[in-house]
Amino acid sequence: MQDIGGDPVAHNRAAWDKLVQEGNEWSRPVSSEAVERARLGDWSIVLIGYEPVDRSWLPADLTGKDVLCLASGGGQQGPILAAAGARVTVFDNSPGQLGQDRMVAARDGLELRTVLGDMRDLSAFGDATFDVVFHPVSNLFVPDLAAVWRECCRVLRPGGTLLAGFLNPDVYLFDHEALDERGELIVVHKLPYSDAAQYSTEERAAKFGADAPLEYSHTLADQIGGQLAAGFVVTGFTEAPHQSNASAPYMSYYFATQAVKPG
C-alpha cells in the first residue's frame, strides 16, 4: 500500500500535543524532589524503557557540559541533566512537550533552553556545539533516519558522545491489538513497517485512533549502520525488555547505543 501519511512532522506534532494534554507517561514532568536530588549528585534518567542509563556512558562531571536532549521533551531528562550541572537544550517536535520542560525549569529555578523542530533538521545549531546528544526512544516517529545521524554528528564536538535509544524493529511484526489487549504475539506485518503505508486513514483511525502518532520501524542497518555511516564509532550497546507488555519474556523491546564522534 502506498504511504498516505501526509506530513508526519505536522501530524505527530499535533498527536504529541494531545498526548501531553492526556497525561501520557512520557509527558509527566519530574518532581521537585528529583530535581533537588540531582543537584546533590543523586540522579538517573532513562534512555530505553524504564532502565536508568549507565552513568559511565555520560561524562563523569556534567558541570558546564553542553547537552542536547534530542526529541526528548516532556520535562523528564532535560531538567535532571540541568540540575546535575549541564547546560541543556531540549529539542522536540511538540510545543506541549517543550512546555513541560519550561514548567519544570520555572518551578525549580533551572536554566535550560527549548527549541521546536524536526529531529532531522538541527540547522538551529552550529557545527560542534554540543558535548553530548541524548536521544531517547523517539526516532520511530520519523520515516527516515540518515539525516538524524548526520545532524547529530555535525552538532557534536570532536570526542562528543551520542546516546541513542530505539525500538527493536522486530516488535513491529506483531498485531498491535492482540499484543496489547490479549497478550498474544501474532505475526501479521512485514518489515520495515509504517502505520501510514500499512493502513488507510480510516483503518488507522479505527485501530489506533485518529489522533495517534504515526510510527515507522527502522532496520538495524539504518539504526546502527546509519550511525557508522554518519561518522560515529559505536562504543557501547545495551538492550531491555518492555516494561509491561507480553513480549517481555521472549525478546528485547529496546536497544541503545553509545557512540563517539572521533576527535
Side-chain angles (χ1 to χ4, degrees):
M1 183 180 295
Q2 182 181 4
D3 192 320
I4 54 174
D7 180 359
V9 174
H11 178 94
N12 284 346
R13 179 170 293 172
W16 270 99
D17 282 349
K18 186 171 187 293
L19 289 173
V20 173
Q21 294 173 0
E22 294 172 348
N24 180 274
E25 66 175 320
W26 303 116
S27 301
R28 298 171 194 160
V30 295
S31 67
S32 293
E33 291 75 17
V35 169
E36 186 57 32
R37 288 196 301 271
R39 285 189 166 112
L40 300 174
D42 176 17
W43 60 270
S44 66
I45 52 175
V46 296
L47 184 62
I48 52 175
Y50 289 176
E51 295 289 326
V53 70
D54 186 337
R55 286 278 293 268
S56 72
W57 280 21
L58 289 158
D61 184 1
L62 285 171
T63 304
K65 297 294 185 182
D66 292 301
V67 177
L68 175 63
C69 291
L70 179 59
S72 180
Q76 299 181 353
Q77 296 97 353
I80 293 297
L81 292 169
R87 292 192 292 256
V88 173
T89 299
V90 182
F91 185 95
D92 201 276
N93 184 41
S94 162
Q97 284 283 79
L98 293 175
Q100 301 294 71
D101 290 276
R102 289 193 296 271
M103 183 277 290
V104 176
R107 182 192 70 194
D108 297 327
L110 297 171
E111 291 188 13
L112 57 78
R113 177 170 59 148
T114 62
V115 179
L116 179 70
D118 177 355
M119 70 182 83
R120 297 169 296 178
D121 178 8
L122 302 183
S123 57
F125 312 117
D127 297 351
T129 300
F130 298 101
D131 300 297
V132 176
V133 173
F134 189 86
H135 181 45
V137 179
S138 55
N139 66 31
L140 67 155
F141 300 117
V142 293
D144 52 296
L145 296 185
V148 176
W149 305 134
R150 286 196 303 268
E151 285 287 84
C152 286
C153 197
R154 181 185 65 79
V155 302
L156 275 169
R157 296 179 177 126
T161 303
L162 165 68
L163 275 62
F166 47 92
L167 293 186
N168 179 345
D170 289 350
V171 304
Y172 284 100
L173 289 168
F174 304 113
D175 179 81
H176 168 82
E177 290 173 316
L179 181 61
D180 290 349
E181 296 177 11
R182 302 191 300 276
E184 299 173 353
L185 280 69
I186 300 176
V187 174
V188 294
H189 300 132
K190 292 181 179 180
L191 301 180
Y193 167 88
S194 160
D195 285 341
Q198 180 69 30
Y199 301 108
S200 69
T201 301
E202 294 75 17
E203 289 169 335
R204 290 201 312 274
K207 195 169 185 68
F208 306 114
D211 298 322
L214 292 170
E215 296 188 17
Y216 305 84
S217 81
H218 300 291
T219 66
L220 293 181
D222 286 340
Q223 295 281 15
I224 299 174
Q227 294 180 46
L228 297 172
F232 284 105
V233 176
V234 175
T235 52
F237 181 86
T238 192
E239 56 191 336
H242 193 278
Q243 56 272 12
S244 60
N245 80 23
S247 68
Y250 303 101
M251 64 190 297
S252 292
Y253 200 90
Y254 303 104
F255 297 141
T257 52
Q258 177 199 48
V260 173
K261 178 178 178 177

